[in-house]
Amino acid sequence: MKRRIHFGSVLFPLLILCFSSCSAFYLPGLAPVSFCEEGKDVDDCQKEIQLYVNRLDSVESVLPYEYDVFPFCKDDHEKRPTENLGQVLFGERIESSPYKFFFNKKVDCQPVCTTNFKKGDKADIAKLDFLKMGMQLNYQHHWIIDNMPVTWCYDVEDGQKYCNPGFPIGCLVTSDGRVKDACVINAEFNKKNTFYVFNHVDIQITYHSGAAEGWTGARLVGATLEPKSIKHADEKNTNCGEGTSPMEVPGEFSNDVSIVYTYSVSFVENNNIKWASRWDYILVSMPHTNIQWFSIMNSLVIVLFLSGMVAMIMLRTLHKDIARYNQVDQVIVIEDAQEESGWKQVHGDVFRPPRKGMLLSVFLGQGTQIFIMTFITLFLACLGFLSPANRGALMTCAVVLWVLLGTPAGYVSARLYKTFGGEKWKTNVLLTALLCPGIVFADFFLMNLILWVEGSSAAIPFGTLVAILALWFGISVPLTFIGAYFGFKKPAIEQPVRTNQIPRQIPEQSFFTKPIPGIVMGGILPFGCIFIQLFFILNSIWSHQMYYMFGFLFLVFIILLITCSEATILLCYFHLCAEDYHWWWRSFLTSGFTAVYLFIYAVHYFFSKLQIIGAASTILYFGYTMIMVLIFFLFTGTIGFFACFWFVNKIYSVVKVD
């Protein structure tokens, strides 16, 4: 089936800043829509409410599937809204549904269709088995009305109400009588080795009337539903009231099975809820939110305190060092008796070019590209442009920014490579443009092959892969070449002290000043400031919960920058005081080691929080995790390197060298 991607919408994030100054501005697809009752002839006022369906997913499987793959009711005149690049990459597959109704018109037990499964038909057996697999793995519907998720709200412990932006297609009672997942909501779901299909939904739509505020029609501010399992005789004899028996599908396919799908719709007016805050009831009910707010604040306070301590120690110690080294009127006897030691002793070697300077410069160029992309994306998300209501915008913005930021990547890589004394500029620019993106694309392509073999909706269509390659080779690579041209054209960065011809011998190091212990210790503090936010981010990716705390994420991002910088500077200073001048790679790896802790946490999250089963889902989880770890490694390593680079240049520019 062909899928359309509107590549004009790919450039949407680039136009945001141009229009953000307008007083009456709505993001595309996020403007309020007015609805009127049938029979009222009003311009710009819709009568029919269209319910859209998205792909189905599960917390027990990484593989999402399109709605059409399951034997549900299909829309005779199927329409697919235009998808942006982010939606396609995230595997969102939105299409119209046969559930259609008019504003403020109550519907009671309306039949939609009947799906029949004949015992002797192999195709029907395969379809029913697939439906059972979906119920066994707790696959969830995701429905959309007026760009808003249709939620299933139910009571949880401590009297709290949780609103889930999806609802299950059914549930299972195992052969040993264990009630799984949503089957706990009804005591009638008690037969062993039996599946119960949720074939009926009671939809309640809440609207805000514009009569009191002077505008025509009404705006939808809430959409909830309650799934039910009801056995109907046939489409002409539906009964959704009390006294009905549930729709059972036996574990063993022994007889023909017919499932009649029905729905009811009711409307409730509530003028206290404004259209702009209609997502609040979903976000407020997210699990553990209140506890995590306190934990995040606690973590930030600890990190700020530690960062302040590090900064204070560094400033006081350095001030004493520089003052001592720069004293000119010391007693000669004291100078002769007291032999200098410490970081000044390696001034003739501290700017000696590192080994494998080509690879380091390539990593730093890519890290700069990722850093700028992340900063702009999070800043726009803080302003509300990339909210969950604007589907796919976050990923679209990140990809487009990455493509357009090839110039700073090429410039930084070329300038540093020239500073290191490198001369193979062609190899440098090619590696900058192709090495890290190539690793990410190869991993992504292998994961996509697995998704394609499994028939998942998350498999990227071939046309989209070609489009991504076109963006990479047609825009990003040329921009990287342009940046590298200007980088090589500039003179090498001038160092504050001269480098000796003969390398100085490094004295025996203690355990804590050796490279590996220092690098391992360096990533602990930066990871400490992100692990709580990491829990939320992993939940949004793998447990399909909405992530909306972009303000806190941006704050944690800034704290991460400060922590990576100060931890790297502190360890760099200790190594220089121990007269070990190999700081180039160490500064990159010290903060970059945070990515190793991220990977360890992702492994812990997989085994302790997720219920994922199956080899394909496991491979996909760790395949996508490796992409995230690589990007985070380049990002944090670059922060640590440039902080240390600034620090070393600063301290050696203020001491007097004979």
Side-chain angles (χ1 to χ4, degrees):
M1 187 176 293
K2 293 179 68 177
R3 301 186 181 92
R4 297 177 301 155
I5 306 172
H6 186 235
F7 286 102
S9 66
V10 170
L11 299 177
F12 149 70
L14 306 177
L15 304 176
I16 287 175
L17 295 177
C18 302
F19 292 102
S20 58
S21 59
C22 300
S23 57
F25 171 68
Y26 287 105
L27 297 177
L30 298 185
V33 178
S34 295
F35 290 89
C36 297
E37 295 179 17
E38 197 176 9
K40 290 187 177 181
D41 190 15
V42 181
D43 293 336
D44 299 325
C45 196
Q46 296 186 17
K47 279 78 174 176
E48 186 178 25
I49 298 176
Q50 176 67 64
L51 190 151
Y52 287 93
V53 292
N54 203 343
R55 50 102 172 93
L56 289 87
D57 54 36
S58 167
V59 294
E60 297 182 28
S61 174
V62 177
L63 302 167
Y65 290 101
E66 281 196 64
Y67 179 86
D68 283 348
V69 175
F70 288 91
F72 299 137
C73 299
K74 309 293 191 295
D75 187 9
D76 294 332
H77 307 286
E78 185 181 284
K79 294 183 294 183
R80 288 181 177 267
T82 302
E83 297 168 338
N84 60 40
L85 183 60
Q87 286 176 290
V88 176
L89 292 177
F90 269 132
E92 293 204 15
R93 299 293 183 264
I94 300 174
E95 59 189 78
S96 58
S97 76
Y99 298 85
K100 294 179 174 66
F101 38 88
F102 291 91
F103 175 74
N104 221 7
K105 184 178 180 181
K106 188 175 181 180
V107 177
D108 188 35
C109 208
Q110 175 71 31
V112 185
C113 75
T114 303
T115 55
N116 297 304
F117 304 95
K118 296 182 179 179
K119 179 184 174 183
D121 193 318
K122 290 184 178 179
D124 285 353
I125 294 172
K127 289 179 182 178
L128 188 59
D129 286 342
F130 193 74
L131 182 64
K132 289 178 182 177
M133 180 277 296
M135 290 186 278
Q136 189 170 0
L137 294 178
N138 196 26
Y139 269 83
Q140 307 264 320
H141 284 284
H142 292 280
W143 290 3
I144 302 165
I145 289 178
D146 190 29
N147 198 39
M148 185 172 50
V150 184
T151 58
W152 177 32
C153 296
Y154 51 88
D155 293 326
V156 291
E157 55 189 21
D158 300 328
Q160 299 291 320
K161 185 178 283 288
Y162 175 59
C163 291
N164 186 2
F167 68 96
I169 62 178
C171 61
L172 163 68
V173 177
T174 61
S175 54
D176 58 358
R178 185 164 56 92
V179 179
K180 284 192 65 180
D181 304 319
C183 278
V184 298
I185 65 175
N186 194 333
E188 294 185 21
F189 299 162
N190 52 24
K191 282 190 180 179
K192 294 182 179 180
N193 195 25
T194 303
F195 295 86
Y196 294 91
V197 182
F198 291 134
N199 59 327
H200 174 81
V201 287
D202 287 329
I203 303 172
Q204 183 183 83
I205 297 177
T206 307
Y207 65 91
H208 178 106
S209 177
E213 299 179 16
W215 43 270
T216 307
R219 292 172 181 171
L220 307 188
V221 294
T224 60
L225 60 73
E226 182 182 356
K228 294 181 179 179
S229 180
I230 301 175
K231 183 172 180 60
H232 302 288
D234 52 55
E235 283 191 45
K236 297 180 180 179
N237 299 289
T238 58
N239 178 20
C240 303
E242 295 181 0
T244 56
S245 56
M247 181 65 230
E248 300 174 356
V249 177
E252 300 295 332
F253 195 2
S254 55
N255 297 308
D256 294 351
V257 176
S258 294
I259 304 174
V260 180
Y261 288 90
T262 56
Y263 68 100
S264 300
V265 182
S266 61
F267 291 83
V268 176
E269 183 177 351
N270 188 339
N271 293 324
N272 294 324
I273 304 175
K274 303 296 183 183
W275 184 87
S277 58
R278 62 180 186 163
W279 285 67
D280 288 0
Y281 78 99
I282 305 172
L283 304 180
V284 168
S285 73
M286 287 295 176
H288 311 302
T289 302
N290 294 330
I291 299 170
Q292 295 301 334
W293 280 101
F294 173 77
S295 299
I296 292 167
M297 287 300 299
N298 186 47
S299 176
L300 292 178
V301 168
I302 292 172
V303 170
L304 284 172
F305 173 75
L306 291 174
S307 300
M309 290 293 292
V310 169
M312 185 176 68
I313 292 168
M314 292 302 304
L315 288 173
R316 290 187 64 180
T317 307
L318 271 177
H319 180 73
K320 288 181 180 178
D321 281 350
I322 292 169
R324 179 163 55 87
Y325 285 141
N326 287 343
Q327 280 178 347
V328 290
D329 45 346
Q330 288 181 342
V331 181
I332 297 175
V333 177
I334 297 176
E335 285 186 343
D336 292 338
Q338 184 180 354
E339 185 181 351
E340 282 187 340
S341 64
W343 55 271
K344 189 187 176 186
Q345 293 297 91
V346 295
H347 65 81
D349 298 274
V350 72
F351 291 108
R352 191 175 301 282
R355 298 172 184 171
K356 301 191 184 300
M358 169 85 78
L359 185 61
L360 180 59
S361 63
V362 168
F363 282 174
L364 292 168
Q366 280 295 317
T368 304
Q369 188 176 10
I370 293 166
F371 167 72
I372 301 173
M373 174 199 78
T374 307
F375 180 83
I376 297 175
T377 302
L378 290 180
F379 182 72
L380 292 176
C382 281
L383 298 179
F385 293 121
L386 309 179
S387 70
N390 195 7
R391 302 172 190 281
L394 188 72
M395 178 62 90
T396 303
C397 178
V399 171
V400 171
L401 284 172
W402 181 85
V403 167
L404 297 179
L405 288 169
T407 303
Y411 178 84
V412 169
S413 178
R415 189 88 192 275
L416 286 171
Y417 182 61
K418 188 173 183 180
T419 302
F420 296 157
E423 297 178 353
K424 299 179 180 178
W425 64 271
K426 292 180 181 178
T427 308
N428 174 263
V429 68
L430 284 172
L431 286 176
T432 305
L434 303 176
L435 178 63
C436 295
I439 294 171
V440 171
F441 185 82
D443 189 328
F444 184 77
F445 184 75
L446 288 174
M447 298 304 105
N448 199 60
L449 280 179
I450 295 173
L451 291 168
W452 178 72
V453 170
E454 295 289 335
S456 172
S457 66
I460 309 300
F462 179 74
T464 307
L465 285 175
V466 172
I468 293 171
L469 288 172
L471 289 172
W472 179 16
F473 287 100
I475 300 176
S476 180
V477 172
L479 288 176
T480 306
F481 275 70
I482 293 170
Y485 169 77
F486 287 106
F488 280 114
K489 199 174 179 182
K490 283 266 189 178
I493 299 171
E494 189 176 346
Q495 312 296 4
V497 290
R498 293 192 302 271
T499 301
N500 295 335
Q501 291 184 350
I502 302 174
R504 178 186 175 89
Q505 186 175 0
I506 298 173
E508 184 69 26
Q509 300 293 305
S510 67
F511 174 78
F512 293 104
T513 56
K514 288 181 179 178
I516 293 177
I519 290 170
V520 171
M521 288 188 296
I524 294 174
L525 192 60
F527 179 75
C529 76
I530 65 163
F531 79 96
I532 293 175
Q533 282 294 326
L534 190 60
F535 173 79
F536 280 100
I537 292 169
L538 292 177
N539 270 351
S540 69
I541 297 173
W542 304 113
S543 296
H544 314 296
Q545 295 180 9
M546 290 185 189
Y547 189 88
Y548 61 95
M549 296 183 292
F550 291 110
F552 257 110
L553 185 60
F554 189 72
L555 181 59
V556 170
F557 172 78
I558 300 299
I559 296 296
L560 178 64
L561 298 185
I562 298 169
T563 313
C564 280
S565 302
E566 292 185 344
T568 309
I569 287 171
L570 184 62
L571 288 166
C572 179
Y573 174 70
F574 289 155
H575 290 126
L576 290 176
C577 286
E579 299 181 21
D580 184 353
Y581 50 83
H582 294 307
W583 64 272
W584 298 96
W585 268 107
R586 192 176 296 166
S587 63
F588 184 87
L589 295 175
T590 297
S591 54
F593 201 80
T594 311
V596 177
Y597 291 110
L598 185 150
F599 177 74
I600 294 170
Y601 184 83
V603 173
H604 164 74
Y605 181 85
F606 177 82
F607 288 106
S608 64
K609 302 293 182 183
L610 296 182
Q611 305 163 355
I612 289 176
I613 56 176
S617 293
T618 304
I619 294 170
L620 288 166
Y621 176 87
F622 285 104
Y624 287 127
T625 298
M626 291 309 298
I627 293 176
M628 187 167 63
V629 167
L630 174 61
I631 291 171
F632 196 73
F633 170 72
L634 296 172
F635 164 68
T636 51
T638 301
I639 295 168
F641 175 87
F642 281 113
C644 200
F645 185 75
W646 169 84
F647 170 75
V648 173
N649 272 273
K650 198 73 175 174
I651 64 173
Y652 284 99
S653 65
V654 295
V655 297
K656 296 178 181 178
V657 179
D658 295 331

